[in-house]
Amino acid sequence: MKQRLLDALKNCPADYAEIRFETTDNTGFAYRGKELDNASTGQFTGGIVRACKNGGWGSCVFDTLDDLKSKVADACAAAATVGKEKTALADIAVPADQVFPAQLTNDFRGVSLDEKVALVGKYNDIVLNAVPGVESSTVMYGENFRTVHFASTRGNYFMEERPRILLYLVAIARNGSQVQRGSESFSSATDFTVVLNREDKAREVAERAVALLKAPQCPGGRHHVILRPDFTGVFAHEAFGHLSEADFLYENPQMRELMTIGRQMGNDDLNIIDDGSLGQLIGTHHVDDEGTPTQKTMLIANGVLAGHLHSLETAGKMGARPTGNARAIGRGRPPIVRMTNTYVDAGTLSKDELFAGVDDGIYACGMQGGQTMMEMFTFSAAYGYRIKNGQVTDLLRDIVLTGNVFETLHNIDGIANDLTMFELGGGCGKGGQSPLPVTFGGPHIRLRDAVIGGKQ
Amino acid sequence: MRSTYLHDMQDRFARVIANATKQGASAAKVSFSHGESLSCSFEAGRLKYADSAETLGYNIAVIRNGRSGVAGGNIPAAMDELVERAISFAQIGAVAHFSHYPTPTTYVDLKSHSPRVLKLSREKMIDDCQEMVDYVKSLDESLDISASAGRSESESAVANSAGLNEADMETSWDLNLGIQKTSGTDMLFSYAGRGWLDLNELYDLDALKSEIAFDLRHATRSAKISDGVYPIYLPPRMLGSFLAPIAMGINGRDVFKGTSPLKDELGKQCFSPALTIIDNPHIDFSPSSATFDGAGIATRPMTLVDQGVLKTFLYDYDSACLAQATPTGHSGSSPYTMFVQPGQRSADAMLKSIPRGLYIKQLLGFGQSNLANGDFSCNAALAYLIENGEIVGRVKNAMIAGNILTLLKGDIEFSSDLDPQNRQPHAIIPGVSVVTAKN
C-alpha cells in the first residue's frame, strides 16, 4: 500500500499533497423493546486526495484505488485554480514509515456474534423488567474497525488501526404524555470487557427513567452548580475546547487577538488540557490524519491561555508547532482541527469540601450533550439533584446550562481532586463530521451563578 | 456523469436476489446509489477549497426464517460476498414482521433530474460566491466571511424479490453564505443557505445577501429582556425545529412500543385549531420528495394534523405488520416534509402585532433537550427583542424553555405568506419561558 500511494504522488505539481485511504468494517445491532429491532453490518473502502498549491486546497474523494494518479491530478488541478498566495504548512519531523497495529487487550473480533447478541439481550431484559414503569428500551451494541493508510509528498507513510466498540443502555418510561429516559454508554478502543458486567448499570438506567417521571424540572434562573466529573468534561470540551481550535482563529485577526496566549481565562487553579497521546483511549492515536504525532497540549495553565490546537496549516500560518489535532471522521473526509482527550486537571479540594460550599444549588450529572458558538455555549445534564446545605437532595430533570466562556471560566470557584476520564458513546461534531471519537474528563467543579433555562 | 453503473446493475441485482433466495431468504432487496459532485468554499473572505467527489454505496437486505440481515458496502465486485454476510447476519438478525415484500404498484412520476444543474460550472459557482463575499465585505470590512456552493448528480436503483425494479437520476445544488462578526468578546454568527434539485429562481444570491444584511443591521444594537414568559416569533427556517416532537410522536413504531407521548391522542384535538400539517412527498425537485418507501409502498400526500386534530400515525411496512396497521409509505415511520398550512395575516402584520417578545433566528443546544417529550431548553443564540411590533435590538445570553406539545395548544398563529425555499410560514408561539444572565 505504501508504495502504491507514494507512486501516485510522484511528480505531483502541488506544493503539498497527501492521500488517505481507509477500510472500515462495522457491525451493530439494537434491541428496542422486547425485540432485536435492527442489525446491520458493512464493509467500506475509500479515501481522499488533498493538494495544496499557492495556499489553495483541492481535493478528490474516491472509493477505490483504481486510477489513483488521475485522482491526484484532479486534486492538484483544483488546488491550482484556487491558490493565490504562498503555501504555509508547518514542517514536522516524522519517520518515513510508521505502522501502528491495534493493541487490543480483549479483541472483540474473537467474540462470536451470538455471544454479543445474548449479552445485549440480557441487558435489555434487565432494562425492561428491573422496575415497573419502563415502557421500552434501546440497548445497542456497535463495533468498528478502521484501518487508515496515509502518504504525502513529504515522503512519509503511516498505517494505523483504529478500533472502537460501543454499548448504549437506554430505558424509556412513560406516564401518559410524560416520557423520560435514563441512559448510560460505554466505549473502548482496546478492550471488549468494557461492555461486560453492566447489569447494575442496566438496572440503574431503568430506575432513573422511572424516577425522572416524578422529578420536577430544574427551576430556571441563576444557580450555584456543582458539575460531576463526566459533566465537567463536557464543559471543558464545549465551553472552552472548541474555542482553542486554531482553524477558528488563524485567519481571523479579531479572534487571534481575543485568544492571545497569555490571556487570563480563569482562576489560578484552572488547568485545561488536550492530550491525543493519553493512554489508549478512544480519542487517542499515535498520529493525526496529517501524520503529525499526537501530544499533550496545555490549553489553559494556571488560569492563563497557554496553547491552541493545530493542523499543519494553522500552525504554519500562526508560527506554531503542529499539535497532532488534524482529524477526519472517516474515509472521504478532510482532516480539520479537532480535540482528542480533553479534560480539566485535578484541583486540591476534596469532593466534600466542594459541596460544603453550597447552601442552595444544583448537582448536574451525566452527559446529555453540548453545543458551542465560540463565546456562547450550552450543555445539558442527563439528570441532577438539588443541593441544600451541602447535601445532595431531590432528583431534578431538564438541566441545561448556558454561558459566555469568557465570564463562566472565571466563575469556577472550586476544583476537586477526583479527576476521572470518560469513554462514552457518541462523539464530537464539527464541520459536518460527527461523531468523532473523543473523551471528556475532569474532577467535580463548582460554578457560581450559572444560567439554567426553565420556568422560575 | 463521467461513469455510470446502472446498466451493469440489473444483472447484478438479479443475481443477488436469486442467490439470497437460493439460500433460503423469503425476501431480498438491493439498493444502490452512485454520485459525483463539485464544490467550492470561501473562508476568511477568499477562495480556499475546490473539491470533487465520486462515491458509491449499496445495501443488501434479506429476510430468512423471520429475521432480517442487512449488509452494506461500496465495492461492486464485493456484492456477492456481501450477500453471504447478510444471510449469515440474518441468523441472529432483527426480528422481521413480514416474510415477503408487497407487490410493487405504479408510482407517481416525480421530477428530480435537471440538465440545468449540470451547467453550473465550478467557475460559475466561484464567481457567485465571490459576488456574495464582495457584497458582504462592502457592508463591513472586518467580517469573517464564508461562502460555498456545490452541485451533484447521482443515479440510484432498487430491486426486490417481489419484482420491484426502479431506477432514478437526481441532480442538486446548494449555496451558502455566512459571517462572523467579532467585537471584543462579543460575537455574531449569521448564516443563510439554499438548495434544490433544479436550477431555478431559488438560486438567488440576493436572497442570501439580504438575510445576512438583515442580521448585520439589527444585531448592531443590543437590547435587554427581563426574566418572564413571552411570545416568540419564528421565521420559516426555525419552524421545522418546533415540529420535531410531532414528527417523533407520530412514528407508528414508537406508538406501538408505547414511547410516544401522542400514543393515546389519535383523532383528538391535540393542538390549536390554527395548526394544520400536511406531509407532501410529491413536490417536483424537492430534496425530501419520494415516490415510494423502502419496501416499495407508494407515497402520497397525507394530512397529519387537521385544525389541531391528530389524524394519523405513520408506518413503514415492517412497523405496520408489527402493529397490524396499514402501511403509509414512510421509511422509518417518519414524515417526509411537514408543511404547516398558512394562516390569515402576513408575517409582517404578525410581527407588528407583538407588544413584547423574542424573534428567534438561531438556537444553541435545542437538540439536546428531551424533544420526544416535547421539552426544550436552550440558548437563544441569535434573538431580537420585539417591542410594539418593531425589532429593537439583539438579546444575548437568554435561555428559552417550554414544552412544545403544550405550547402548540395555545394561541399560536401562522402567516399567510410562505418562504419560497421551504414553503413554511412564520409563526407566533406564546408562553415561552425566558431566563437571562445578569447584565
Side-chain angles (χ1 to χ4, degrees):
Chain A
M1 180 65 75
K2 174 187 172 187
Q3 208 48 52
R4 192 167 183 180
L5 300 185
L6 288 171
D7 284 350
L9 290 167
K10 263 183 197 161
N11 304 318
C12 166
D15 300 330
Y16 168 86
E18 66 187 25
I19 304 171
R20 199 179 72 252
F21 181 74
E22 305 193 10
T23 59
T24 58
D25 200 319
N26 55 56
T27 292
F29 52 86
Y31 279 86
R32 286 178 72 207
K34 293 173 186 166
E35 292 179 342
L36 193 61
D37 192 71
N38 63 66
S40 63
T41 180
Q43 276 180 322
F44 298 88
T45 68
I48 181 171
V49 180
R50 288 200 314 154
C52 188
K53 178 76 175 175
N54 297 331
W57 288 93
S59 76
C60 181
V61 173
F62 58 89
D63 283 333
T64 72
L65 290 168
D66 300 342
D67 204 12
L68 198 50
K69 263 204 163 304
S70 77
K71 287 151 190 165
V72 173
D74 281 355
C76 291
T81 67
V82 172
K84 291 180 176 56
E85 55 188 53
K86 189 170 179 290
T87 295
L89 304 178
D91 285 326
I92 46 165
V94 291
D97 192 342
Q98 300 180 97
V99 175
F100 306 109
Q103 294 175 303
L104 293 159
T105 314
N106 291 284
D107 191 340
F108 58 82
R109 294 170 298 179
V111 181
S112 75
L113 205 51
D114 286 343
E115 282 179 75
K116 291 166 185 165
V117 171
L119 178 73
V120 172
K122 181 172 69 173
Y123 295 150
N124 189 57
D125 285 345
I126 295 170
V127 170
L128 286 173
N129 301 309
V131 287
V134 172
E135 189 89 27
S136 190
S137 61
T138 300
V139 177
M140 191 275 266
Y141 171 85
E143 62 186 36
N144 179 291
F145 200 97
R146 179 181 168 206
T147 305
V148 181
H149 300 268
F150 172 96
S152 85
T153 46
R154 292 175 169 180
N156 57 322
Y157 164 85
F158 78 80
M159 186 285 290
E160 185 169 28
E161 292 177 340
R162 297 171 178 173
R164 187 185 182 188
I165 52 174
L166 286 164
L167 174 69
Y168 283 93
L169 303 170
V170 182
I172 304 163
R174 186 174 73 93
N175 182 10
S177 62
Q178 178 73 234
V179 178
Q180 293 296 328
R181 290 153 48 100
S183 65
E184 294 282 345
S185 65
F186 310 91
S187 186
S188 173
T190 58
D191 192 351
F192 181 72
T193 62
V194 73
V195 303
L196 301 177
N197 304 313
R198 296 298 183 184
E199 290 82 357
D200 288 349
K201 289 293 178 184
R203 196 167 294 112
E204 191 179 310
V205 298
E207 290 167 353
R208 191 184 312 135
V210 172
L212 283 170
L213 286 174
K214 293 179 182 166
Q217 285 184 306
C218 183
R222 287 161 290 279
H223 299 273
H224 299 326
V225 180
I226 289 181
L227 313 186
R228 203 173 66 176
D230 50 354
F231 206 42
T232 298
V234 184
F235 172 74
H237 180 101
E238 294 297 344
F240 181 73
H242 281 296
L243 201 57
S244 69
E245 292 166 342
D247 52 352
F248 290 125
L249 315 175
Y250 77 123
E251 294 185 319
N252 185 327
Q254 294 96 339
M255 288 295 291
R256 281 179 74 156
E257 188 181 337
L258 190 62
M259 291 295 288
T260 302
I261 303 290
R263 181 189 179 101
Q264 191 74 38
M265 297 296 295
N267 297 324
D268 291 347
D269 54 353
L270 179 64
N271 294 287
I272 298 181
I273 295 154
D274 182 87
D275 189 350
S277 63
L278 183 64
Q280 292 179 296
L281 305 177
I282 57 171
T284 302
H285 300 308
H286 292 88
V287 288
D288 72 4
D289 288 316
E290 292 180 324
T292 304
T294 53
Q295 65 173 50
K296 178 177 180 177
T297 305
M298 292 299 298
L299 303 178
I300 293 179
N302 302 317
V304 173
L305 187 61
H308 304 132
L309 302 178
H310 284 291
S311 63
L312 292 179
E313 183 175 31
T314 64
K317 290 199 169 164
M318 291 179 74
R321 281 184 52 221
T323 56
N325 288 87
R327 304 182 66 195
I329 193 166
R331 67 199 161 86
R333 307 306 297 270
I336 53 178
V337 181
R338 307 296 294 263
M339 283 171 270
T340 57
N341 308 299
T342 312
Y343 60 97
V344 176
D345 208 358
T348 53
L349 296 175
S350 71
K351 182 183 163 190
D352 288 346
E353 287 172 318
L354 204 68
F355 275 83
V358 179
D359 294 333
D360 184 10
I362 306 294
Y363 182 31
C365 306
M367 186 204 76
Q368 184 88 357
Q371 206 177 347
T372 182
M373 278 179 90
M374 299 294 93
E375 106 270 41
M376 271 191 287
F377 62 87
T378 66
F379 54 123
S380 309
Y383 59 99
Y385 300 89
R386 193 98 201 193
I387 303 171
K388 285 184 179 162
N389 301 318
Q391 301 297 311
V392 173
T393 62
D394 303 327
L395 181 69
L396 296 170
R397 65 180 170 92
D398 301 335
I399 302 171
V400 185
L401 280 80
T402 194
N404 178 301
V405 63
F406 297 100
E407 294 160 11
T408 307
L409 290 178
H410 287 282
N411 291 340
I412 299 172
D413 75 346
I415 301 177
N417 55 11
D418 53 351
L419 167 64
T420 314
M421 296 301 294
F422 295 88
E423 296 185 274
L424 307 173
C428 174
K430 177 180 170 183
Q433 297 194 45
S434 174
L436 185 79
V438 293
T439 66
F440 310 103
H444 280 86
I445 65 171
R446 191 170 59 211
L447 271 182
R448 294 279 170 197
D449 289 325
V451 178
I452 293 181
K455 287 181 188 164
Q456 290 181 296
Chain B
M1 300 182 91
R2 289 193 292 190
S3 57
T4 175
Y5 288 80
L6 283 189
H7 62 280
D8 190 35
M9 281 300 140
Q10 301 294 329
D11 286 348
R12 280 184 186 274
F13 282 10
R15 199 167 67 233
V16 163
I17 290 169
N19 187 2
T21 308
K22 190 175 153 192
Q23 295 190 60
S26 60
K29 184 180 85 166
V30 197
S31 53
F32 166 87
S33 69
H34 164 241
E36 296 175 358
S37 65
L38 278 181
S39 63
C40 66
S41 309
F42 282 61
E43 280 187 4
R46 63 184 190 280
L47 181 60
K48 189 69 189 285
Y49 303 102
D51 305 312
S52 63
E54 179 177 6
T55 55
L56 180 154
Y58 59 85
N59 245 48
I60 298 168
V62 301
I63 295 172
R64 186 170 179 268
N65 297 332
R67 289 188 176 270
S68 76
V70 179
N74 68 344
I75 305 298
M79 209 176 245
D80 293 331
E81 185 189 325
L82 262 286
V83 176
E84 305 298 326
R85 199 157 159 168
I87 289 282
S88 160
F89 217 66
Q91 289 176 21
I92 61 95
V95 176
H97 301 95
F98 65 96
S99 55
H100 297 83
Y101 284 108
T103 306
T105 177
T106 54
Y107 304 111
V108 66
D109 186 21
L110 273 178
K111 294 188 179 75
S112 60
H113 186 272
S114 163
R116 294 194 291 192
V117 173
L118 303 178
K119 290 182 180 162
L120 195 56
S121 66
R122 181 183 273 155
E123 291 71 25
K124 161 81 171 151
M125 292 190 284
I126 289 172
D127 289 346
D128 289 344
C129 286
Q130 186 70 58
E131 182 187 325
M132 294 193 295
V133 167
D134 289 344
Y135 169 78
V136 177
K137 210 177 272 182
S138 74
L139 300 177
D140 186 340
E141 274 279 336
S142 73
L143 296 174
D144 185 346
I145 307 165
S146 59
S148 67
R151 66 133 161 109
S152 69
E153 183 181 29
S154 63
E155 55 184 5
S156 62
V158 60
N160 71 23
S161 49
L164 180 74
N165 197 341
E166 296 284 330
D168 196 19
M169 296 283 290
E170 188 173 296
T171 51
S172 70
W173 59 265
D174 66 273
L175 188 64
N176 305 284
L177 180 63
I179 58 108
Q180 179 184 349
K181 183 177 173 64
T182 308
S183 308
T185 62
D186 184 60
M187 295 175 203
L188 166 69
F189 294 88
S190 174
Y191 302 100
R194 282 189 169 184
W196 202 245
L197 305 191
D198 183 23
L199 192 65
N200 58 7
E201 68 283 355
L202 290 173
Y203 189 92
D204 181 356
L205 311 188
D206 290 341
L208 273 64
K209 289 190 275 189
S210 68
E211 194 166 341
I212 300 295
F214 175 95
D215 287 333
L216 284 171
R217 190 165 65 247
H218 290 293
T220 315
R221 290 163 293 168
S222 66
K224 291 182 170 51
I225 191 166
S226 52
D227 295 356
V229 174
Y230 298 94
I232 57 171
Y233 179 75
L234 298 175
R237 198 172 61 183
M238 291 302 303
L239 182 57
S241 301
F242 282 78
L243 300 177
I246 298 180
M248 296 161 88
I250 61 175
N251 182 308
R253 200 170 188 90
D254 289 341
V255 169
F256 179 79
K257 291 185 183 259
T259 58
S260 164
L262 299 178
K263 179 176 186 247
D264 304 319
E265 303 298 316
L266 193 62
K268 294 181 184 172
Q269 186 81 40
C270 300
F271 308 110
S272 159
L275 183 64
T276 293
I277 303 173
I278 293 173
D279 183 44
N280 186 357
H282 288 179
I283 295 171
D284 282 338
F285 296 113
S286 168
S288 52
S289 284
T291 56
F292 55 87
D293 75 358
I297 304 282
T299 61
R300 64 186 196 278
M302 291 179 71
T303 300
L304 306 178
V305 175
D306 186 11
Q307 297 182 61
V309 177
L310 183 61
K311 300 301 285 185
T312 189
F313 296 131
L314 306 179
Y315 296 93
D316 59 28
Y317 190 59
D318 186 76
S319 300
C321 294
L322 169 68
Q324 297 189 321
T326 304
T328 58
H330 288 86
S331 296
S333 304
S334 297
Y336 293 96
T337 307
M338 300 171 75
F339 293 106
V340 173
Q341 297 307 289
Q344 299 298 316
R345 295 196 293 173
S346 70
D348 198 40
M350 281 168 52
L351 177 70
K352 285 188 170 14
S353 72
I354 299 172
R356 192 170 179 80
L358 281 182
Y359 184 156
I360 306 290
K361 287 284 309 267
Q362 290 174 41
L363 293 172
L364 187 65
F366 184 80
Q368 300 154 29
S369 307
N370 184 8
L371 286 173
N373 194 50
D375 293 326
F376 71 97
S377 179
C378 56
N379 188 308
L382 181 54
Y384 301 111
L385 177 65
I386 303 167
E387 267 185 342
N388 301 319
E390 300 289 335
I391 298 171
V392 296
R394 183 185 181 191
V395 174
K396 285 193 71 178
N397 301 321
M399 290 288 281
I400 66 169
N403 181 283
I404 293 169
L405 297 174
T406 303
L407 290 170
L408 293 178
K409 295 178 197 290
D411 192 16
I412 56 177
E413 184 180 0
F414 302 100
S415 67
S416 55
D417 44 338
L418 304 178
D419 180 82
Q421 162 79 53
N422 70 10
R423 305 183 188 206
Q424 298 283 24
H426 284 67
I428 293 176
I429 300 178
V432 175
S433 284
V434 178
V435 174
T436 59
K438 278 179 188 167
N439 289 306

